[in-house]
Amino acid sequence: IKLKYISLAILVVQNASLILSIRYVRTLPGDRFFTTSAVVMAEVLKEFIVLQYNSIVIQYKDTLKLAVPALIYTLQNNLQYVAISNLPAATFQVTYQLKILTTALFSVLMLRKSLSRIQWLSLLLLFAGVAIVQLEQEGKQKETTVTGPSQNYAKGLVAVIVSCLSSGFAGVYFEKILKGSSASVWMRNIQLGIFGTLLGLLGMWWNDGLAIAEKGFLFGYTPMVWGVIFNQAFGGLLVAVVVKYADNILKGFATSFSIIVSTVTSNWHGDFINVYKPRN
Ligand code: C5P
């Protein structure tokens, strides 16, 4: 009975506002939208809402579990900008591979995976490789040629190390949730994305709220920036699929392999020096 009156009351408000707002947008001067497209758009939106309602709202306890990796990934995605802005690309890439070690540790602890001796050995080898690059960079840093004037090597290094811890934990946590239930990887991504958007907005407001209020959300978005954003979004979805069909450790080795691929291809294109070597 309660729902009966609540739904009727909402319908009254909705209907009145719908008619008035349609009248308003159709009588405004300037470009008019195509009404046929608005009809289609409303249908699509309705389907989308119906589809999501059950999995997100009804099973809200399940949805809440995704708040944990969403928070960590939001921090990680912001830290990555700090790291890449303060470290040469090659140093970042190589140091970030430490995440394979953290991923392996979390996989053993949280997923009860067991690793063979040769697998542990490869991880140690990886760690040694990263350490060597660090020592080499430290030597160069004394000559103050590694970073530009506005870059802070130590800050970049802390950001990348925290990102490694975060990547390992959030990745394995997501894998555990994904493989521990029948919900689809797409549903998990939507749940993750809802929290990711909310937390990201919070971080944005906290850090850049005033500047964004003044200059606008899309300030400085060049086509190249759009490219970065699309690449990041596509990469995120790809990670989810890879984690579903393979696992986080394999994902780590695949992305390390991409360093070799990008190094070789940049060399062929002759821009290795520009992209991967620190500027002198
Ligand atoms: O470096 P790492 O592999 O940890 O980066 C994972 C990236 O994938 C993060 O940017 C994270 O936000 C994104 N991701 C995602 N959806 C998932 C899992 C990860 O967008 N389901």
Side-chain angles (χ1 to χ4, degrees):
I1 292 204
K2 216 169 155 189
L3 273 182
K4 175 174 148 186
Y5 290 109
I6 292 177
S7 57
L8 284 168
I10 295 176
L11 189 68
V12 171
V13 178
Q14 180 273 336
N15 239 278
S17 63
L18 178 67
I19 307 305
L20 290 175
S21 57
I22 289 180
R23 179 71 200 158
Y24 179 71
V25 290
R26 292 311 287 174
T27 50
L28 275 181
D31 289 342
R32 292 250 180 96
F33 62 94
F34 297 110
T35 50
T36 47
S37 102
V39 172
V40 173
M41 193 54 108
E43 280 310 313
V44 172
L45 195 61
K46 215 163 54 183
E47 293 313 306
F48 181 77
I49 292 171
V50 169
L51 217 66
Q52 308 313 326
Y53 180 73
N54 181 43
S55 342
I56 294 171
V57 182
I58 304 277
Q59 297 170 32
Y60 72 95
K61 278 191 190 142
D62 204 49
T63 305
L64 280 177
K65 281 192 216 156
L66 273 296
V68 176
L71 174 65
I72 295 172
Y73 272 142
T74 307
L75 284 174
Q76 178 183 325
N77 290 337
N78 281 293
L79 276 179
Q80 235 169 50
Y81 276 103
V82 176
I84 301 173
S85 309
N86 287 289
L87 296 174
T91 315
F92 169 80
Q93 275 278 43
V94 176
T95 315
Y96 194 38
Q97 299 318 306
L98 260 184
K99 70 182 172 177
I100 307 185
L101 198 59
T102 57
T103 302
L105 291 174
F106 284 117
S107 296
V108 168
L109 290 173
M110 292 161 65
L111 299 173
R112 308 246 163 270
K113 279 207 172 128
S114 60
L115 296 177
S116 66
R117 205 179 286 172
I118 189 109
Q119 285 172 318
W120 281 117
L121 204 69
S122 348
L123 289 167
L124 278 178
L125 208 63
L126 177 84
F127 182 77
V130 173
I132 290 169
V133 171
Q134 280 313 315
L135 289 176
E136 194 196 27
Q137 289 296 341
E138 201 163 307
K140 280 190 191 162
Q141 207 195 2
K142 291 212 177 88
E143 300 160 22
T144 60
T145 56
V146 173
T147 53
S150 60
Q151 298 177 35
N152 183 335
Y153 191 86
K155 189 174 168 187
L157 202 59
V158 171
V160 74
I161 288 170
V162 176
S163 291
C164 286
L165 286 168
S166 138
S167 169
F169 179 77
V172 172
Y173 189 105
F174 186 77
E175 186 177 342
K176 196 175 161 103
I177 289 182
L178 193 64
K179 291 181 173 165
S181 81
S182 58
S184 76
V185 63
W186 302 115
M187 183 39 61
R188 292 306 188 198
N189 274 329
I190 290 174
Q191 292 171 319
L192 190 72
I194 290 173
F195 290 113
T197 309
L198 292 176
L199 292 164
L201 280 172
L202 203 67
M204 184 187 92
W205 171 73
W206 184 263
N207 222 26
D208 299 314
L210 285 179
I212 288 177
E214 190 194 329
K215 296 185 167 166
F217 187 88
L218 297 179
F219 175 77
Y221 271 51
T222 59
M224 190 66 192
V225 176
W226 277 111
V228 168
I229 291 168
F230 272 96
N231 197 340
Q232 186 128 38
F234 175 70
L237 295 176
L238 198 60
V239 163
V241 173
V242 167
V243 166
K244 179 177 165 72
Y245 295 107
D247 65 26
N248 271 293
I249 302 182
L250 283 171
K251 180 201 77 159
F253 275 96
T255 46
S256 323
F257 183 62
S258 78
I259 297 181
I260 302 174
V261 174
S262 55
T263 307
V264 171
T265 45
S266 320
N267 238 340
W268 280 339
H269 290 286
D271 61 1
F272 174 80
I273 307 271
N274 297 333
V275 178
Y276 275 93
K277 277 233 168 131
R279 266 178 287 140
N280 287 327

